[in-house]
Amino acid sequence: MIKTLSKQRLLTIDSGQSVVFFEKQLAPKTQITIAKNAHVKHYRLHEMTDHSLFVRLEDNASYELITLHRGDGNLTLYFDLSGKNAFCQSNIVYVLSENKNTLIHCDVHHNADDTVSRQFVKGAVCANAKAVFQGGIFIPYNKKGIDGMQQHRALLLGKNACAQAVPQLEIYADDVKCAHGSAIGFLDQEQMFYLQSRGLDEEQARTLLTTAFLNEILDDIEDDEVREELKSLALEEVCHGN
Amino acid sequence: MSAWLKIKDLCVKVADKPILNDLSLSINAGEVHVIMGPNGCGKSTLSNVLCGNQNYEVTGGFIDFKDKNLLEMNVEERACAGIFLAFQHPVEIPGVSMATFMKYALNARRKAQGKQELDAVSFIKRIKVRAQALGISDEMLKRPVNVGFSGGEKKRLEIFQMAVLEPDFCILDEMDSGLDVDAVKVAGNGVKIMRSEQRSFLVISHNIRFLKEQIQPDKIHVMVHGRIVAQGGMELLDEIDKNGFSAFLKEAVA
Ligand SMILES: Nc1ncnc2c1ncn2[C@@H]1O[C@H](COP(=O)(O)OP(=O)(O)OP(=O)(O)O)[C@@H](O)[C@H]1O
Ligand SMILES: [Mg+2]
């Protein structure tokens, strides 16, 4: 069942269902409820200004997101693991060219026992672009068996490119496994030299290394067409940004 | 015969430390030369400088390759001019397969030569034939460059790249080290097959038997403290085998 209002898209995945969907034209706001035992794989392209996504998971539900963000604006993600045993994987690739400026804000709320969250974010920031990643994991008091993981990595490709990670961990429970990390850096000069010593020019070497870096996430898209489309859109933005 | 590679009075610094001091060397078309020298004398430094690695600062002297000033060329221009280094320590490139890498590299060289890009079928054929000869499986070509390969496998993949790209000037920096007995023969054979009037080699190795049996060089250079202190034929190999580098070290100090 899909309801499209002017500003909001509301989706409910009924219990026991398994769906895969690819969303390209985003409404400013999307809200998804995944009922008990339902499983969702969600691929999306974010190219607009501001967008927010809210996902609520009930018991035993799972949600796996892979999103390519190349918009000039903010992306807000909010995951509410409200049912026992819910699993949420939210992987994000962002590529920003020119003067694009983005704030990616992501909150994962472990509001039930035995919930698991995984988040892997990789970005390439070109030219004069600027990215801020704010990743939060929230585990309330008294929750048990929680397992959360968040990794952020960004490559700075432009002279004035800038990236920043602001983690926010609020853990009030004891029975918790929670790992997070961020690494922001430049392309490896030894790798660049190796590729160029075989004849690739600087731009080819840079593009090859950057897309290899980003494709680690995009390669997990199971649908061939969607995967190739998102990979080529990421590549386009990388080339455009150089 | 005019020299292809002419190095004259080359001085190189790394991290502000002088490594090569007034090094001179020339290699003619079709010749195979060897550099031997104690650990840390500057052999890998020289191979990196020949390829244009910016971490090495050239503070004096010149390098000509085929009558062009090599030092004015950037890394990829040197590669496209036919210079190839089989690295002592090849770097890992996660996410890029060997096959993809070779397609880019081969087409870059062809473009520089004014040739058309290879079509997919000819490309596959070209890499498969060479992979087979070197005992490299299809699976190895699909894996990311150097990631998770054993030391010997990495060396074999360097030789494979040389065979695919067919460069004019091959620098082999300890390509035999870490190879098992059979692989050393395969590597040596690779060099033998590729030897031609229009291809020169600069081989760096510590393995005298490998040099004598597999490489059979035209000339040996002994490098000590960043300088060539002796040159000669195969007889130098026997001398080094017997006495090590001590005699040359004394000369270098004197
Ligand atoms: N990036 C670097 N920073 C600092 N010192 C360096 C660097 N690269 C090389 N050196 C130094 O330069 C010297 C020469 O090193 P090089 O690798 O050229 O030796 P080599 O002759 O190839 O030795 P080996 O036989 O062990 O391979 C060594 O003392 C080494 O420590
Ligand atoms: Mg060395």
Side-chain angles (χ1 to χ4, degrees):
Chain A
M1 184 187 60
I2 298 182
K3 282 190 212 148
T4 306
L5 306 171
S6 60
K7 292 226 160 108
Q8 277 208 56
R9 188 171 288 174
L10 298 174
L11 268 116
T12 303
I13 313 301
D14 293 331
S15 69
Q17 284 202 322
S18 286
V19 291
V20 179
F21 58 103
F22 181 28
E23 217 186 351
K24 273 204 273 191
Q25 254 88 44
L26 306 188
K29 240 185 205 174
T30 300
Q31 212 169 313
I32 306 175
T33 301
I34 306 171
K36 285 183 183 173
N37 301 309
H39 303 288
V40 175
K41 285 190 182 174
H42 192 184
Y43 307 128
R44 51 185 3 221
L45 171 65
H46 177 244
E47 293 192 291
M48 48 192 302
T49 51
D50 298 348
H51 174 79
S52 48
L53 168 72
F54 296 82
V55 181
R56 198 172 68 81
L57 292 95
E58 297 181 351
D59 289 1
N60 300 312
S62 74
Y63 179 69
E64 291 171 51
L65 167 73
I66 297 179
T67 199
L68 171 64
H69 170 47
R70 36 175 235 171
D72 185 20
N74 301 339
L75 186 59
T76 306
L77 307 169
Y78 186 98
F79 303 104
D80 175 9
L81 288 86
S82 66
K84 206 169 145 48
N85 259 323
F87 173 80
C88 174
Q89 175 165 295
S90 49
N91 292 350
I92 304 168
V93 168
Y94 63 89
V95 190
L96 304 170
S97 62
E98 299 178 328
N99 295 307
K100 284 183 184 174
N101 199 328
T102 197
L103 168 68
I104 300 171
H105 181 99
C106 177
D107 286 344
V108 180
H109 290 263
H110 287 266
N111 289 327
D113 290 347
D114 302 315
T115 48
V116 175
S117 70
R118 295 280 176 267
Q119 181 167 55
F120 197 23
V121 181
K122 280 189 146 187
V125 191
C126 315
N128 304 308
K130 185 171 194 290
V132 178
F133 172 70
Q134 281 179 349
I137 299 180
F138 302 87
I139 306 172
Y141 178 68
N142 254 349
K143 293 289 174 271
K144 288 194 235 7
I146 308 291
D147 181 355
M149 196 278 287
Q150 178 195 83
Q151 280 290 336
H152 169 256
R153 257 157 229 223
L155 271 181
L156 300 175
L157 297 170
K159 272 209 181 80
N160 299 308
C162 172
Q164 200 189 339
V166 188
Q168 188 187 2
L169 300 182
E170 292 194 13
I171 302 170
Y172 301 103
D174 298 327
D175 181 13
V176 161
K177 260 204 302 192
C178 190
H180 77 110
S182 175
I184 298 167
F186 303 98
L187 283 174
D188 184 300
Q189 286 310 303
E190 275 192 58
Q191 293 179 341
M192 286 291 288
F193 174 63
Y194 190 74
L195 297 180
Q196 287 174 275
S197 79
R198 300 297 185 241
L200 282 72
D201 64 34
E202 198 179 331
E203 178 148 350
Q204 282 178 321
R206 193 207 313 231
T207 305
L208 200 59
L209 291 178
T210 307
T211 49
F213 171 77
L214 301 176
N215 288 348
E216 191 188 351
I217 288 180
L218 298 175
D219 274 331
D220 281 341
I221 297 174
E222 284 161 18
D223 185 283
D224 294 344
E225 238 171 80
V226 176
R227 185 182 57 244
E228 293 316 312
E229 182 174 348
L230 290 186
K231 278 167 78 167
S232 73
L233 286 168
L235 172 67
E236 187 186 288
E237 192 78 6
V238 170
C239 293
H240 188 56
N242 276 339
Chain B
M1 206 184 335
S2 79
W4 256 9
L5 183 76
K6 269 180 270 181
I7 305 175
K8 188 97 179 75
D9 301 329
L10 185 69
C11 298
V12 172
K13 274 188 183 170
V14 183
D16 266 342
K17 191 169 93 184
I19 306 291
L20 301 184
N21 307 298
D22 294 320
L23 183 138
S24 299
L25 179 76
S26 23
I27 300 177
N28 295 328
E31 287 183 349
V32 177
H33 287 215
V34 160
I35 295 186
M36 292 195 78
N39 294 131
C41 72
K43 303 178 297 297
S44 295
T45 299
L46 176 63
S47 31
N48 273 286
V49 169
L50 287 171
C51 291
N53 189 333
Q54 292 302 310
N55 291 335
Y56 300 82
E57 189 198 347
V58 176
T59 55
F62 68 83
I63 309 176
D64 279 1
F65 181 62
K66 294 187 179 177
D67 296 321
K68 282 199 197 117
N69 182 350
L70 198 69
L71 294 176
E72 274 177 3
M73 295 157 82
N74 65 26
V75 182
E76 64 266 27
E77 285 166 346
R78 297 181 197 205
C80 291
I83 291 189
F84 177 94
L85 168 60
F87 285 84
Q88 183 175 5
H89 304 292
V91 306
E92 300 186 357
I93 316 276
V96 178
S97 76
M98 182 54 79
T100 305
F101 178 33
M102 282 301 97
K103 197 149 117 197
Y104 276 95
L106 196 55
N107 284 331
R109 178 97 203 273
R110 291 177 70 87
K111 198 172 151 199
Q113 293 169 329
K115 290 189 198 158
Q116 275 200 325
E117 288 197 355
L118 267 190
D119 61 88
V121 177
S122 323
F123 172 72
I124 301 263
K125 217 165 129 192
R126 183 164 175 146
I127 63 170
K128 285 247 165 104
V129 170
R130 285 153 179 84
Q132 238 159 33
L134 292 163
I136 288 163
S137 66
D138 285 1
E139 185 259 349
M140 285 167 85
L141 296 178
K142 284 187 195 140
R143 274 168 59 182
V145 175
N146 295 326
V147 178
F149 285 105
S150 76
E153 285 170 338
K154 285 185 194 173
K155 292 294 167 83
R156 225 173 324 149
L157 287 163
E158 292 289 295
I159 302 162
F160 164 74
Q161 294 176 48
M162 175 175 84
V164 169
L165 299 175
E166 298 183 344
D168 300 348
F169 192 91
C170 310
I171 308 157
L172 310 177
D173 194 351
E174 299 200 23
M175 88 165 179
D176 55 295
S177 75
L179 291 182
D180 63 46
V181 194
D182 298 324
V184 167
K185 281 192 188 133
V186 174
N189 241 333
V191 175
K192 260 179 227 156
I193 293 167
M194 287 187 71
R195 263 180 104 145
S196 102
E197 303 266 292
Q198 289 309 310
R199 181 170 295 123
S200 307
F201 289 85
L202 179 59
V203 182
I204 296 165
S205 173
H206 294 293
N207 184 343
I208 288 173
R209 198 170 143 202
F210 168 70
L211 293 172
K212 272 172 128 173
E213 291 176 8
Q214 306 292 330
I215 299 295
Q216 298 166 347
D218 299 302
K219 202 165 184 180
I220 321 284
H221 307 263
V222 180
M223 189 194 281
V224 171
H225 297 320
R227 198 178 266 128
I228 302 297
V229 295
Q231 292 178 325
M234 298 278 261
E235 74 285 351
L236 259 182
L237 292 178
D238 294 319
E239 203 180 314
I240 293 168
D241 202 11
K242 248 205 323 250
N243 305 318
F245 294 113
S246 54
F248 304 108
L249 281 165
K250 269 180 226 139
E251 258 170 64
V253 172

